[in-house]
């Protein structure tokens, strides 16, 4: 019983972090699916989302607002707006001018953008760790006769539920809406979609905006969950989310979700049963294995060379 | 006749030497190298503010051998790679004395360059024993060693009769070194070590670690590392209702841990150098800091002040500006500084330096624990 509780606790920890990875991974996977490039500045968009949310929360609290749901919703909206305009601007400034060139050029442009945004926040907000207020506290505790107590915090539940809602909304949007259909068309064949009268530039911008808003959601959630943010924290999270996207099959939205969860759980199980020191060894080892044996990822479609 | 001739010759050669060296030689450059930016910049603030104050006060009292000290500041972001770049820049700039670096992992590679290039280095903060273990002639410190701090922490934990203790570190030179010293002390005292494990510096999610600590049912957790990680561990441990006492080295003892951990930082135990700013003989110095609007209570403010003073006193004792002569003078002499009487052993460590256990409070204050 004791061991089971411990296992479930590590599972909860892993699923929490995994669903947040999935939210960030969507941005990587959608952009890749549509224009076949890896947006390395996406981790920074997530970081900017977290900073914006923190600024909004601090501002609202200073104004004397005390009703928590309102604070959270306003902070979330602010973060989503700032992040998605940032995502849109990054695409306009750094990717659109080099689109269609050799694959390496947009990649280098993306890395440059990532360094620029990191240092910009460094200068604007300082390089120190800033504490993020824990707005959602408390949770359920489960205990057997033993001393170990399993806990499921409201914050963790919030993360699961929000991720679930976002993912469902996104799937519906992609499968049902007109823009969603256009997205799918563009990802299948950009040239043909454009011939059929789809404004591909608008669709590409929409992809960046959707990815960035989901990253902003993750920024607010993880900021609250972890408790502190710094200008460099988008980099590692971005790397992990990118791994999740590749793991699940880059270009596939359910794949990003699956990849995120697998990555999160394998990380927490490694630190739980082996040692925290091996956490990154296992997650990136997993990535190498997948790339070796199933290069398209778990749910990715095999890429057929177009003639 | 001969003596006066000698005097004339000396006078002429000295003035020629001075002319040849140009304008810059009239000042003694003191390099201050530490993190101005980056996650541990607040320690850098302490270092820079202490060293600047010392330079200012020494200059106000007529300088060293009639020459003014000039501060040259460098930012190493507490990154070993940047520390090497900074060290090379110092060499290029012709600086002969360095106060720094701060983080052990920066000090270590930079000190190789200083030793090779004949630059005297005094670190006010790096506590890793390895820095002075290599038989270097020009490397000194005004702080104790992990091998002193670890046993103080280990002894304290052992004296509280804990059931089980976990020792966690950030896999960096400083954190792991000190954690190892704590573990060894505890083992010698027969305390059960339930866990000895590393985390990744810069990581944010410690929920798995906290769950593991809970499962291991520990009542004391020692963390070797810096405040950004421990702050989050404290906060996440509190959210998961982990009932254990946490302890850390001086790298966690600053007010930023309160902004990260909030209420969870209450009751944290920290080994720190004694509060030099509380000593009666330092009253006027403390006032000088306060008049400037600076806080002298940080652990590295007065150690940096003392480091500058030691360079100045060393130059005067050696009656020479050659770093090797100054190093020899520092090893043989005994110097009065705000951190007490300083005497150096052959390795460049202070012959005595004590650490004290403090209890940290959530408002950023601390009280000594007996």
């Amino acid at each position: 019983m004791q061991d089971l509780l411990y296992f479930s606790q590590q599972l909860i920890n892993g699923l929490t972090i995994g669903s947040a990875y999935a939210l960030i991974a969507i941005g990587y996977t959608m952009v890749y699916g549509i224009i076949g490039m890896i947006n390395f500045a996406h981790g920074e968009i997530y970081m900017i989302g977290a900073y914006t949310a923190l600024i909004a929360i601090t501002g609202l609290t200073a104004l004397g607002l005390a009703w928590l749901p309102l604070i959270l919703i306003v902070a979330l909206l602010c973060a989503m707006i700032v992040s998605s305009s940032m995502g849109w601007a990054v695409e306009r400034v750094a990717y659109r001018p080099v689109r269609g060139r050799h694959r390496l050029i947009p990649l280098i442009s993306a890395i440059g953008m990532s360094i620029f945004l990191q240092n910009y926040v460094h200068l604007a907000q300082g390089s120190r760790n800033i504490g993020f207020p824990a707005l959602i506290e408390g949770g359920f505790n489960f205990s057997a006769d033993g001393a170990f107590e399993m806990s499921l915090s409201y914050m963790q539940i919030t993360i699961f539920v929000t991720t679930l809602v976002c993912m469902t909304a996104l799937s519906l949007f992609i499968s049902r809406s007109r823009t969603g259909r256009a997205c799918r068309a563009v990802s299948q064949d950009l040239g043909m979609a454009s011939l059929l009268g789809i404004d591909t530039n608008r669709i590409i911008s929409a992809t960046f905006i959707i990815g960035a808003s989901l990253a902003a959601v993750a920024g607010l959630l993880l900021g609250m969950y972890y408790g502190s943010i710094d200008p460099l924290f988008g980099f590692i999270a971005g790397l992990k989310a990118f791994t999740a996207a590749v793991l699940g099959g880059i270009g596939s939205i359910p794949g990003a979700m699956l990849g995120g969860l697998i990555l999160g759980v394998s990380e927490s199980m490694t630190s739980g049963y082996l040692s925290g020191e091996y956490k990154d060894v296992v997650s990136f080892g997993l990535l190498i294995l997948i790339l070796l044996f199933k290069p398209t990822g778990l749910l990715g479609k095999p890429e057929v060379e177009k003639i | 006749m001969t003596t006066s001739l000698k005097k004339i010759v000396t006078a002429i050669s000295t003035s020629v030497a001075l002319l040849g060296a140009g304008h810059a030689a009239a000042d003694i450059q003191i390099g201050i190298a530490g993190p101005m930016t980056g996650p541990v910049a607040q320690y850098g603030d302490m270092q820079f503010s202490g060293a600047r104050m010392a330079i200012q006060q020494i200059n106000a009292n007529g300088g060293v051998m009639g020459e003014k000290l000039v501060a040259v500041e460098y930012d190493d972001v507490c990154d070993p790679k940047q520390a090497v770049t900074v060290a090379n820049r110092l060499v290029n700039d012709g600086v002969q004395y360095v106060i720094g670096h701060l983080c052990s992992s920066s000090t270590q590679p930079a000190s190789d360059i200083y030793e090779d290039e004949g630059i005297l280095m005094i670190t006010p903060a790096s506590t890793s024993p390895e820095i002075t273990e290599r038989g270097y002639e020009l490397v000194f410190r005004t702080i104790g060693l992990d091998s002193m701090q670890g046993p103080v922490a280990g002894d304290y934990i052992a004296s509280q009769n804990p059931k089980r203790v976990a020792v966690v570190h950030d896999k960096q030179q400083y954190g792991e070194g000190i954690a190892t010293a704590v573990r060894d002390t505890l083992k010698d005292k027969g305390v059960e070590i339930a866990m000895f494990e590393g985390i990744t510096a810069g990581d944010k999610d410690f929920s798995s670690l906290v769950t593991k600590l809970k499962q291991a049912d520990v009542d004391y957790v020692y963390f070797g590392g810096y405040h950004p990680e421990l702050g989050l561990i404290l906060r996440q441990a509190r959210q998961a209702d982990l009932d254990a006492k946490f302890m850390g080295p001086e790298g966690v003892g600053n007010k930023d841990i309160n902004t990260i951990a909030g209420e969870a930082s209450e009751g944290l135990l920290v080994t720190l150098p004694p509060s030099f700013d509380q000593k009666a003989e330092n009253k006027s110095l403390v006032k000088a800091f306060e008049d400037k609007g600076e806080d002298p209570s940080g652990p590295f403010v007065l150690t940096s002040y003392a480091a500058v003073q030691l360079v100045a006193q060393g130059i005067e004792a050696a009656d020479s500006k050659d770093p090797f002569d100054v190093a020899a003078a520092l090893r043989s002499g005994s110097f009065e500084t705000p951190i007490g009487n300083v005497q150096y052993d052959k390795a460049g460590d202070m012959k005595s330096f004590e650490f004290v256990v403090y209890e940290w409070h959530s408002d950023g204050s601390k009280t000594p624990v007996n």
Side-chain angles (χ1 to χ4, degrees):
Chain A
M1 192 62 203
Q2 181 86 359
D3 292 337
L4 184 69
L5 279 178
Y6 179 69
F7 177 80
S8 333
Q9 179 75 74
Q10 293 293 17
L11 193 67
I12 292 174
N13 295 341
L15 290 175
T16 311
I17 204 81
S19 31
Y21 285 159
L23 277 179
I24 311 171
I26 291 292
Y28 285 101
T29 225
M30 282 184 72
V31 166
Y32 186 87
I34 287 184
I35 51 172
M37 73 158 282
I38 293 160
N39 177 13
F40 272 113
H42 191 59
E44 273 57 52
I45 301 285
Y46 150 76
M47 177 264 297
I48 288 171
Y51 268 92
T52 315
L54 178 61
I55 293 168
I57 290 171
T58 320
L60 291 174
T61 326
L63 285 176
L65 205 66
W67 196 49
L68 188 62
L70 185 66
I71 296 184
L72 286 179
I73 288 167
V74 175
L76 189 67
L77 285 177
C78 288
M80 286 170 82
I81 291 167
V82 171
S83 279
S84 49
S85 36
M86 209 59 124
W88 176 81
V90 164
E91 196 267 336
R92 282 308 286 266
V93 171
Y95 306 149
R96 189 169 296 182
V98 295
R99 196 191 301 156
R101 308 275 177 81
H102 189 274
R103 290 179 87 109
L104 269 181
I105 295 170
L107 195 71
I108 291 169
S109 182
I111 292 173
M113 206 63 214
S114 152
I115 296 172
F116 168 77
L117 289 176
Q118 234 174 56
N119 286 284
Y120 164 70
V121 176
H122 229 113
L123 285 172
Q125 296 294 325
S127 55
R128 295 177 180 188
N129 280 265
I130 305 176
F132 210 105
L135 294 174
I136 303 176
E137 280 178 313
F140 302 109
N141 284 323
F142 306 95
S143 161
D145 40 333
F148 184 78
E149 204 175 55
M150 192 188 87
S151 59
L152 174 63
S153 67
Y154 295 141
M155 189 64 229
Q156 286 172 321
I157 298 173
T158 312
I159 294 181
F160 293 136
V161 172
T162 317
T163 308
L164 211 64
V165 169
C166 287
M167 291 297 178
T168 319
L170 181 68
S171 306
L172 285 178
F173 174 76
I174 295 286
S175 59
R176 301 282 165 85
S177 77
R178 212 180 144 77
T179 317
R181 197 160 57 230
C183 276
R184 280 181 290 148
V186 172
S187 95
Q188 276 170 10
D189 192 330
L190 196 129
M192 191 64 203
S194 140
L195 283 178
L196 290 174
I198 294 173
D199 184 351
T200 46
N201 277 337
R202 221 190 92 237
I203 295 300
I204 292 170
S205 292
T207 316
F208 274 87
I209 288 171
I210 294 170
S213 0
L214 290 180
V217 176
L220 170 69
L221 291 176
L222 282 186
M224 282 197 289
Y225 182 57
Y226 292 152
S228 86
I229 55 175
D230 63 86
L232 297 175
F233 95 125
F235 180 72
I236 303 167
L239 214 58
K240 292 276 170 69
F242 172 61
T243 310
V246 175
L247 205 64
I250 193 144
S252 148
I253 291 171
M257 184 76 197
L258 184 69
L261 292 180
I262 292 179
L263 190 71
V265 171
S266 67
E267 275 189 1
S268 75
M269 289 303 164
T270 315
S271 10
Y273 287 98
L274 208 59
S275 160
E277 289 160 64
Y278 290 103
K279 196 169 88 173
D280 292 352
V281 179
V282 169
S283 37
F284 293 112
L286 210 63
L287 176 68
I288 293 171
L289 280 179
I290 292 280
L291 286 178
L292 280 177
F293 295 107
K294 204 169 182 317
T296 50
L298 294 172
L299 299 182
K301 291 190 200 79
E303 197 164 308
V304 185
E305 201 61 42
K306 289 167 197 155
I307 305 163
Chain B
M1 179 66 198
T2 30
T3 42
S4 59
L5 191 68
K6 254 187 195 164
K7 264 183 193 162
I8 293 165
V9 171
T10 331
I12 291 171
S13 55
T14 321
S15 52
V16 167
L18 278 175
L19 278 173
H23 172 74
D27 295 328
I28 300 174
Q29 295 189 60
I30 305 281
I32 313 172
M36 290 180 189
T37 57
V40 293
Q42 48 277 69
Y43 293 118
D45 293 347
M46 298 176 192
Q47 179 191 354
F48 286 104
S49 109
R52 281 183 204 131
M53 174 64 81
I55 290 172
Q56 190 189 333
Q57 291 197 341
I58 289 170
N59 286 340
N61 290 327
V64 178
M65 290 169 63
E67 292 176 17
K68 292 261 184 273
L69 300 181
V70 177
V72 201
E73 299 179 359
Y74 300 88
D75 182 10
D76 72 356
V77 202
C78 181
D79 171 18
K81 294 187 287 294
Q82 302 218 33
V84 171
T85 316
V86 161
N88 286 322
R89 271 175 53 208
L90 269 153
V91 174
N92 276 336
D93 293 350
V95 176
Q96 287 193 302
Y97 310 95
V98 184
I99 308 304
H101 297 219
L102 188 106
C103 298
S104 292
S105 46
S106 294
T107 309
Q108 179 114 5
S111 61
D112 292 334
I113 297 169
Y114 299 141
E115 178 76 16
D116 284 346
E117 300 290 338
I119 294 172
L120 181 91
M121 184 202 89
I122 305 183
T123 168
S126 296
T127 49
S128 166
E130 286 163 46
I131 290 166
T132 45
E133 262 169 11
R134 297 163 298 169
Y136 281 0
E137 211 176 323
L138 298 174
V139 172
F140 292 86
R141 53 179 137 208
T142 48
I143 190 103
L145 279 69
D146 295 344
S147 47
M148 302 170 180
Q149 191 175 176
V152 172
D155 283 342
Y156 176 81
I157 294 178
S159 73
Q160 303 299 304
N161 297 316
K163 288 188 311 239
R164 292 148 68 77
V165 179
V167 180
V168 182
H169 59 82
D170 65 357
K171 293 193 284 191
Q172 296 194 33
Q173 187 173 21
Y174 167 74
E176 186 164 359
I178 207 156
T180 312
V182 171
R183 181 194 59 186
D184 294 345
T185 314
L186 287 170
K187 264 190 184 160
D188 287 345
K189 300 250 170 189
V191 176
E192 189 188 339
I193 309 284
M195 236 172 99
F196 182 77
E197 197 169 302
I199 56 146
T200 309
D203 214 346
K204 299 256 174 216
D205 175 36
F206 297 108
S207 54
S208 294
L209 175 76
V210 168
T211 305
K212 215 169 167 182
L213 290 169
K214 240 171 117 175
Q215 164 84 339
D217 194 20
V218 293
D219 45 7
Y220 271 86
V221 181
Y222 187 86
F223 178 77
Y226 296 103
H227 62 277
E229 287 80 27
L230 182 63
L232 288 177
I233 295 176
L234 284 173
R235 182 163 162 165
Q236 294 173 17
R238 191 185 170 93
Q239 274 161 7
D241 291 324
L242 171 67
D243 184 27
K245 198 98 176 140
F246 280 83
M247 186 166 193
E250 92 281 23
V252 306
N254 74 76
K255 286 172 186 150
D256 269 41
I257 201 164
N258 301 106
T259 62
I260 299 171
E263 282 295 309
S265 57
E266 178 70 40
L268 168 71
L269 297 164
V270 190
T271 44
L272 287 171
S275 306
F276 300 116
D277 58 307
Q278 303 293 331
K279 283 169 53 174
E281 56 267 38
N282 290 337
K283 240 184 203 151
S284 60
L285 182 57
V286 167
K287 204 178 164 301
F289 275 103
E290 280 161 359
D291 289 346
K292 245 177 107 180
E294 288 173 354
D295 175 16
S297 69
F300 308 127
V301 178
L302 293 182
T303 57
S304 300
Y305 184 98
V308 175
Q309 229 185 7
L310 284 165
V311 169
Q313 293 184 13
I315 293 174
E316 269 164 358
D319 197 21
S320 155
K321 285 193 288 179
D322 181 53
F324 287 95
D325 295 342
V326 177
L330 285 177
R331 281 204 171 78
S332 56
S334 155
F335 305 92
E336 283 309 321
T337 68
I339 61 167
N341 180 274
V342 175
Q343 293 178 39
Y344 279 107
D345 64 10
K346 219 177 145 285
D349 291 325
M350 291 159 69
K351 283 185 179 158
S352 71
F353 191 87
E354 59 168 334
F355 281 97
V356 185
V357 180
Y358 284 96
E359 186 172 15
W360 200 262
H361 301 295
S362 54
D363 59 354
S365 62
K366 56 181 194 279
T367 46
V369 175
N370 305 318

